[in-house]
Amino acid sequence: MAVGNQTVTMFVLQSFTQDPWLEVALFCLFFTLFTVALGGNSLIIAAICCSSSLHIPMYFFLVNLAVLDMVCTSSILPKVLQSLIADSTISFRGCLSQMFFFTWSLSSELLLFTAMAYDRYLAICRPLHYGALMSGRACVVLAAFVWVTGVFNASLLTGLVLRLKFCGPNVIAHFFCEIPPVLLLSCSPTFLNDVMTITADMFLSGLNFTLTMVSYSCIIASILSIRSAKGKRRAFSTCSSHLIVVTLYYSTVLYTYVLPALGSTGLLDKAVAVLYTTVTPTLNPLIYTLRNKEFKAALKKLFPCSPK
C-alpha cells in the first residue's frame, strides 16, 4: 500500500519519563553517548585506513563494524534527542526510514560477528592456511555478503510493514520505530509479518549465535592445547575483545528478540534496547582499542603531536 493511503500519518514515540529534570539528564547522557560513538568509530576508521600495518582481515572487519555502529546510532539517537527536548512525534515515512536503517545495521552486525569469529578461528586454529583462506578477495566477499544480506532483510521486513494499514491508535510503545511494537498498532492482519520476523530472528540471531559459539569453542579448545602460558595469553589476546563485544551484544539482542514479551512497555525492555542501540556502539571502539598496541601505534602516526 502506498504511504499516501495510510490513515495514520504520524506516530508518537513513548517517552522515557515525564520529569523535566530527568529528561534534561537523559538528553545530556544520550548526547554524550552519541558524540562518543560517532567520534570513536570515526577515529577507528581513520586510523585503520591511514596505517598500512593495519590492512589485515581483522581490522578490515573492524572498519565494517565501526560503519555499522555509526549507522545504528545515527538512525536512533537524533530522534531520541529531539523527543527529549521537543515533540516526540515521527512521520510515517520517518518511522519506516528509521526502521529500515536500524534493521539493516542490526542484521548486518549479527552476520559480521560471525565473519569476525570465523576469521579468528582460522587465525588460531588453522594458522598455516590462514593467508590462503582469508585472502583479500575472501574478505571482500564476506563483507559484501554481510551488507547485501542486511539490506535484503531490512528491505523485506520494512516492505511488509509498508503494506499494512494503520487506523489508530498511533502511540508506539517504544522510544524508536522497532518492528514488533509498530506491528501492534496495525489494523491489518500481521500474520505474514510475524512469520517473516520470527524467521529472520531465527536465522540472524539463532544461527549466527550458534556459528559464533562453535567457532569460539574450537578457539578455546585450541588455546587450551597450547603448552606455554605466554602462547595462551598471546592467542587469547587476539580474540578477547571480539568475544567481549559478542557477549554483550548477543545477551541484549537475544533478550529482546527471543522472549515472548516482544514489544512490551516495560522499563527493562527499554533499558536493554538502549544497550544494543546506544551503549554497545559506544563501547566497541574502547573495547577493541584500549589494549591494542598496534592500534595505539597507528593513532600516534595519525596524530604525531599527541602525548606519548
Side-chain angles (χ1 to χ4, degrees):
M1 173 178 285
V3 175
N5 293 332
Q6 297 294 326
T7 303
V8 173
T9 59
M10 300 286 291
F11 288 110
V12 178
L13 299 172
Q14 192 176 66
S15 62
F16 287 93
T17 178
Q18 299 297 325
D19 187 338
W21 290 104
L22 189 54
E23 286 183 336
V24 172
L26 287 173
F27 177 88
C28 295
L29 173 62
F30 284 124
F31 181 78
T32 301
L33 291 174
F34 187 39
T35 304
V36 173
L38 291 184
N41 285 293
S42 298
L43 193 60
I44 282 182
I45 296 172
I48 293 175
C49 291
C50 295
S51 178
S52 58
S53 63
L54 299 183
H55 292 175
I56 58 177
M58 181 175 69
Y59 292 104
F60 170 76
F61 291 125
L62 186 55
V63 168
N64 283 266
L65 179 62
V67 173
L68 288 171
D69 281 340
M70 294 172 69
V71 171
C72 181
T73 54
S74 298
S75 65
I76 302 297
L77 286 185
K79 194 62 186 179
V80 171
L81 294 174
Q82 178 187 330
S83 65
L84 286 171
I85 60 173
D87 67 292
S88 58
T89 61
I90 185 171
S91 67
F92 185 81
R93 291 180 182 272
C95 186
L96 287 179
S97 298
Q98 189 180 71
M99 185 185 299
F100 172 81
F101 283 106
F102 169 73
T103 305
W104 175 23
S105 62
L106 176 65
S107 54
S108 296
E109 284 203 28
L110 293 174
L111 290 165
L112 185 60
F113 284 143
T114 303
M116 296 173 76
Y118 177 65
D119 170 70
R120 292 299 84 202
Y121 162 77
L122 292 178
I124 295 175
C125 300
R126 304 188 64 182
L128 298 179
H129 302 90
Y130 179 74
L133 294 175
M134 194 56 68
S135 61
R137 182 178 180 181
C139 291
V140 172
V141 169
L142 281 173
F145 175 77
V146 166
W147 286 92
V148 171
T149 304
V151 169
F152 174 76
N153 179 65
S155 300
L156 177 62
L157 296 182
T158 305
L160 289 175
V161 174
L162 185 61
R163 56 181 278 277
L164 300 176
K165 293 181 180 179
F166 293 89
C167 312
N170 66 338
V171 179
I172 299 175
H174 212 344
F175 62 90
F176 69 99
C177 288
E178 198 170 13
I179 292 177
V182 171
L183 293 181
L184 295 176
L185 301 179
S186 175
C187 52
S188 301
T190 60
F191 177 76
L192 180 59
N193 299 72
D194 295 333
V195 170
M196 294 305 299
T197 301
I198 293 173
T199 302
D201 292 342
M202 290 176 61
F203 171 73
L204 293 169
S205 298
L207 180 59
N208 282 283
F209 177 76
T210 301
L211 292 175
T212 301
M213 291 301 100
V214 169
S215 296
Y216 271 99
S217 296
C218 296
I219 290 172
I220 293 173
S222 180
I223 291 176
L224 292 177
S225 66
I226 300 175
R227 295 185 177 181
S228 67
K230 184 178 180 180
K232 289 182 179 180
R233 287 195 299 269
R234 182 179 301 174
F236 185 73
S237 65
T238 64
C239 61
S240 58
S241 297
H242 180 59
L243 185 58
I244 293 172
V245 170
V246 166
T247 302
L248 177 62
Y249 200 81
Y250 269 111
S251 61
T252 54
V253 169
L254 289 176
Y255 169 86
T256 302
Y257 287 93
V258 172
L259 287 186
L262 212 56
S264 64
T265 60
L267 182 61
L268 182 59
D269 294 335
K270 289 184 180 180
V272 171
V274 168
L275 286 177
Y276 66 79
T277 60
T278 306
V279 177
T280 301
T282 304
L283 291 179
N284 282 352
L286 297 176
I287 294 173
Y288 277 107
T289 63
L290 199 59
R291 299 175 58 187
N292 193 311
K293 295 180 180 180
E294 294 176 329
F295 189 83
K296 289 179 180 179
L299 280 181
K300 289 182 180 180
K301 292 181 181 179
L302 191 63
F303 302 103
C305 297
S306 61
K308 297 183 179 180

